[in-house]
Amino acid sequence: MPAVMLHLRLQNKSRDPIVVEVRDLNSELGDFAVRPDTFTIEPGQTVEPDGMQSLLGVDTFSLPVNLVLRTGDKTE
């Protein structure tokens, strides 16, 4: 299978700036290190960390991903 590039976009839909830390991004392709892993996102702003490449490839356009985010004292 050809290599796959994963992209993550985070958008702040609140009225206040938020600081978000990406704690974990895991999928069938592996556990990825998101860089940078912490963002300050202004209201209405969308940020995108560097793309993450997997040489494993997949044969589908749908890929379940487990994403763990932290902001303040909340992790989900």
Side-chain angles (χ1 to χ4, degrees):
M1 306 298 338
V4 173
M5 185 69 88
L6 296 175
H7 295 275
L8 173 67
R9 289 189 186 118
L10 302 172
Q11 182 179 26
N12 180 0
K13 293 186 176 184
S14 74
R15 295 177 185 222
D16 300 309
I18 58 172
V19 176
V20 176
E21 177 186 3
V22 180
R23 304 288 304 243
D24 189 36
L25 192 148
N26 199 347
S27 74
E28 293 176 8
L29 298 175
D31 193 7
F32 292 90
V34 178
R35 299 290 180 244
D37 63 352
T38 303
F39 303 91
T40 299
I41 310 173
E42 298 297 325
Q45 182 184 22
T46 300
V47 298
E48 184 174 340
D50 298 338
M52 296 154 281
Q53 185 175 17
S54 171
L55 299 178
L56 295 178
V58 292
D59 59 355
T60 180
F61 288 106
S62 177
L63 178 68
V65 174
N66 182 31
L67 177 64
V68 178
L69 301 175
R70 179 181 174 126
T71 182
D73 60 352
K74 292 184 180 180
T75 300
E76 40 177 274

